[in-house]
Amino acid sequence: MSFIPVNEPLLDGNEKKYLVECIDTGWISSEGPFVKQFEEKFAASVGRRHGIAVSNGTTALDAAICALDIGPGDEVIMPTFTIISCITQIVRAGASPVLIDCDPVTWNMDVSRIEERITPRTRAIMVVHIYGLPTEMDVVLDIAHRHGLKVIEDAAEMLGQTYRGQPCGSFGDLSTFSFYPNKHVTTGEGGMIVTDDEELAERCRSLRNLCFQSERRFVHEELGWNMRMSNLQAALGLAQLERLDEFVARKRAMGRLYSQLLEGLGDVELPLAKADYAENIYWVYGVVLGDRIAFDAKEAMQRLATHGIGSRPFFWPMHEQPVFHRMGLFENERHPVSERIARRGFYLPSGMALSDEQITRSAEALKEILN
Ligand SMILES: *Cc1c(COP(=O)(O)O)cnc(C)c1O
């Protein structure tokens, strides 16, 4: 029996055709025409005025933090249950991340805890939509508005999802995406920043391109990065974006099939199908082992592997990262919900190329290892 990988992308649209066009025309760098086309179409797809294509989702977040001038003395409120990409530039810039636990059902930042963590030094709230349901944006936007805070929205896992009918990625002063192969649209490696603010867009474009100046190219007023996306990557992105609606429908169908097959499994928490503000998009199909199950996620994933099923653990909370403890950060913090799901949660194969037959095999294997 063949092994079912946790992710396999689907590249059978216009990907090859557009890549061949890059090679035939010789346009392979970030100067090529697909980059601008991809930026424009992508920004329009999430209802934003500007799109700035970058090298990956992590650099998109780095640029966003830098563009908002977040630095020493500033505090940024963010979830502890997320990927390291969200926090690195905040720490490197000398600002302070202020961590919030997650909701036990949606796994998103518990927005009812934001306001108590606001101080005179708070500059921004970073929202990260996790696994399939968006964060409760009404609450976040209301708090941000009342306290004069910026909003950074990491929508890497939520391309094609909406919150009360508005696209995810349309809510932040700056919103970011990733095009890693497990995301809804992939460019191999890649990312995007979107915004409606002309000035912030210009700043992100400059930071992406080493802060070269148009007047005198090799004279710099500021330090940037090379975060440029190549024409080859944008060619893939354009072809993928053409199929976004189809991809999203497929993801939802995959999630529903998993839930149907795993219903009544007993002491295992499955993703919430629907909140009153959104229907789950199942970027990944995550499960959390109940407390009556004698083993943890690590053991479950090992058992699944012996059945030929790939899986991945949930995020490890930021306040439990050894690298931050060594810096003297978060040492005595406790965020019990995140700590629990980090130890008891994992996700099943969820890639775009996954077949119904593979979903059925994965679900059967999960049932077997729990018996
Ligand atoms: C994938 C992901 C990132 C990082 O994107 P890369 O392109 O891998 O750098 C950031 N945030 C979230 C929520 C993600 O899922």
Side-chain angles (χ1 to χ4, degrees):
M1 237 177 1
S2 61
F3 189 81
I4 303 177
V6 74
N7 176 65
E8 211 180 328
L10 198 60
L11 302 167
D12 55 357
N14 283 323
E15 288 83 357
K16 198 180 273 179
K17 182 178 157 203
Y18 296 164
L19 279 174
V20 167
E21 204 174 312
C22 294
I23 292 164
D24 286 348
T25 59
W27 281 115
I28 55 174
S29 78
S30 60
E31 295 290 312
F34 285 138
V35 178
K36 216 169 216 78
Q37 281 179 47
F38 183 44
E39 287 178 335
E40 282 169 8
K41 286 203 175 145
F42 187 89
S45 80
V46 290
R48 303 307 294 257
R49 295 236 294 276
H50 306 280
I52 301 99
V54 292
S55 50
N56 55 64
T58 305
T59 54
L61 287 159
D62 292 348
I65 293 294
C66 190
L68 293 172
D69 285 321
I70 288 167
D74 295 335
E75 293 175 358
V76 179
I77 293 177
M78 61 174 289
T80 188
F81 186 71
T82 187
I83 187 170
I84 194 93
S85 309
C86 297
I87 199 172
T88 44
Q89 180 58 20
I90 300 173
V91 172
R92 285 185 179 132
S96 301
V98 174
L99 302 177
I100 305 242
D101 205 355
C102 65
D103 178 276
V105 175
T106 66
W107 308 324
N108 281 313
M109 177 160 63
D110 181 350
V111 294
S112 71
R113 291 167 178 264
I114 294 176
E115 210 146 13
E116 68 201 39
R117 302 299 305 274
I118 291 176
T119 76
R121 285 155 51 142
T122 309
R123 288 280 319 283
I125 303 172
M126 180 186 283
V127 167
V128 189
H129 309 299
I130 303 283
Y131 296 164
L133 283 168
T135 303
E136 286 181 69
M137 291 311 302
D138 282 351
V139 180
V140 174
L141 293 173
D142 173 60
I143 294 171
H145 181 73
R146 282 189 287 108
H147 294 270
L149 306 176
K150 297 289 183 194
V151 173
I152 301 154
E153 180 190 17
D154 180 352
E157 302 177 1
M158 229 53 51
L159 178 57
Q161 176 62 294
T162 56
Y163 171 83
R164 296 195 194 281
Q166 296 289 110
C168 289
S170 68
F171 296 103
D173 291 279
L174 290 163
S175 300
T176 65
F177 290 89
S178 160
F179 306 123
Y180 191 70
N182 62 358
K183 306 294 157 70
H184 295 150
V185 155
T186 183
T187 61
E189 301 286 349
M192 187 80 75
I193 308 159
V194 294
T195 182
D196 294 325
D197 185 313
E198 174 75 46
E199 219 168 292
L200 282 176
E202 207 36 63
R203 221 168 128 61
C204 289
R205 281 189 203 105
S206 176
L207 289 166
R208 162 182 75 175
N209 193 24
L210 295 165
C211 296
F212 281 128
Q213 303 193 91
S214 47
E215 322 271 281
R216 183 72 175 83
R217 185 171 173 85
F218 295 105
V219 177
H220 300 263
E221 298 286 341
E222 229 191 313
L223 296 181
W225 293 272
N226 178 353
M227 301 176 171
R228 301 184 300 256
M229 174 183 277
S230 78
N231 204 48
L232 297 163
Q233 292 167 312
L236 279 179
L238 261 185
Q240 289 263 298
L241 192 58
E242 291 169 357
R243 302 176 68 187
L244 180 59
D245 291 349
E246 176 197 336
F247 285 172
V248 166
R250 175 68 193 142
K251 276 274 165 150
R252 288 207 163 109
M254 284 167 35
R256 283 193 298 265
L257 179 56
Y258 264 129
S259 289
Q260 201 182 314
L261 294 165
L262 295 172
E263 205 190 294
L265 188 54
D267 200 23
V268 175
E269 295 151 33
L270 305 179
L272 183 66
K274 211 167 175 299
D276 64 352
Y277 46 81
E279 197 189 325
N280 205 316
I281 202 171
Y282 303 104
W283 170 62
V284 292
Y285 195 88
V287 300
V288 177
L289 301 174
D291 295 326
R292 291 198 302 276
I293 291 171
F295 50 88
D296 62 6
K298 194 169 165 209
E299 167 78 23
M301 290 187 295
Q302 278 164 3
R303 292 188 189 193
L304 281 172
T306 67
H307 285 70
I309 309 297
S311 59
R312 279 277 182 290
F314 271 17
F315 294 131
W316 195 253
M318 293 305 108
H319 71 280
E320 294 198 275
Q321 297 291 342
V323 61
F324 295 135
H325 292 177
R326 279 204 300 275
M327 294 174 172
L329 291 171
F330 317 132
E331 269 167 315
N332 299 312
E333 282 194 33
R334 292 273 71 91
H335 298 286
V337 180
S338 301
E339 289 168 23
R340 175 174 177 272
I341 66 171
R343 286 160 178 81
R344 304 200 66 80
F346 57 95
Y347 56 89
L348 295 169
S350 304
M352 205 55 78
L354 198 67
S355 68
D356 284 358
E357 187 263 327
Q358 289 176 313
I359 292 172
T360 308
R361 248 184 70 198
S362 304
E364 290 306 320
L366 179 60
K367 286 183 189 170
E368 223 164 285
I369 65 149
L370 293 174
N371 282 333

